[in-house]
Amino acid sequence: MARPYLKIDQVTKTFTRGAMTTEVLKDISLEIDRGEYVSIIGHSGCGKSTLLNIVAGLTPVTTGGILLEDKEVNSPGPDRAVVFQNHSLLPWLSVYDNVRLAVDKVFGGVKSKAERHSWTMHNLELVQMGHAKDKRPGEISGGMKQRVGIARAGDGTESSVA
Ligand SMILES: Nc1ncnc2c1ncn2[C@@H]1O[C@H](COP(=O)(O)OP(=O)(O)OP(=O)(O)O)[C@@H](O)[C@H]1O
Ligand SMILES: [Mg+2]
């Protein structure tokens, strides 16, 4: 069988605070092929976000590992995008600047300033937020904030905003 695109390999995650440890993930393994859609479901607090944060490279594993095309990942990268559960927008930046910050971070070295501007606007327009580009997060609705989060994580295709 062909190797999987993403391999979650025997991941365990324990949070430690002082003398208290909580085992949140225990021996989680999952293989996902390119183009495959997978939903992770479970009761509140069961560890879904923790697992996704590990795949995103934002949270380190306690044991085990994540392989993307056979390469171990342990930091964020443009090949993995996340729309956060809490929108995580910076309140002092406009809608445009919140998305542009991520675009500059990911494409700073490879796309020109003009290209990064049109990429930002393209992603905002895909989620119908182009008209609100100058508003601050405090001036838009919860759903609109989530759409900005989707634009920030987007890869510029319709499928990424489905
Ligand atoms: N940084 C942290 N430090 C300590 N405990 C944490 C931390 N992050 C998450 N937890 C704990 O890990 C468990 C799983 O949390 P997680 O956010 O992954 O749940 P979830 O499945 O996404 O829940 P929900 O459906 O409510 O979003 C919870 O018990 C939570 O309290
Ligand atoms: Mg969650």
Side-chain angles (χ1 to χ4, degrees):
M1 211 180 93
R3 64 183 178 166
Y5 180 61
L6 178 74
K7 182 169 180 167
I8 298 172
D9 193 17
Q10 297 191 322
V11 165
T12 296
K13 178 69 189 179
T14 309
F15 287 108
T16 307
R17 186 159 174 201
M20 215 177 72
T21 62
T22 318
E23 190 174 55
V24 173
L25 299 174
K26 188 176 179 183
D27 210 11
I28 303 291
S29 293
L30 180 66
E31 295 186 354
I32 301 175
D33 290 328
R34 188 183 277 278
E36 194 178 1
Y37 283 77
V38 173
S39 300
I40 296 171
I41 57 173
H43 63 78
S44 180
C46 76
K48 305 177 295 292
S49 293
T50 302
L51 182 64
L52 294 180
N53 284 335
I54 289 172
V55 172
L58 300 169
T59 299
V61 294
T62 304
T63 62
I66 305 293
L67 296 173
L68 189 75
E69 292 189 300
D70 279 345
K71 281 192 219 79
E72 183 152 17
V73 291
N74 39 34
S75 59
D79 43 16
R80 283 151 293 131
V82 185
V83 179
F84 294 101
Q85 184 167 358
N86 55 347
H87 52 78
S88 300
L89 300 178
L90 298 173
W92 59 89
L93 292 182
S94 67
V95 160
Y96 175 91
D97 285 335
N98 265 284
V99 177
R100 179 67 187 262
L101 192 70
V103 170
D104 286 350
K105 178 91 185 145
V106 173
F107 296 112
V110 284
K111 283 189 197 283
S112 70
K113 214 170 160 185
E115 283 171 327
R116 281 179 271 138
H117 168 70
S118 50
W119 187 250
T120 302
M121 286 310 299
H122 175 67
N123 276 291
L124 280 172
E125 270 145 24
L126 276 178
V127 296
Q128 276 129 53
M129 282 300 289
H131 68 282
K133 69 178 176 51
D134 296 322
K135 289 197 189 295
R136 299 276 158 97
E139 300 169 317
I140 59 176
S141 73
M144 290 165 91
K145 288 187 194 95
Q146 283 296 3
R147 275 147 61 197
V148 178
I150 293 167
R152 181 177 52 185
D155 62 7
T157 63
E158 294 287 348
S159 68
S160 71
V161 299

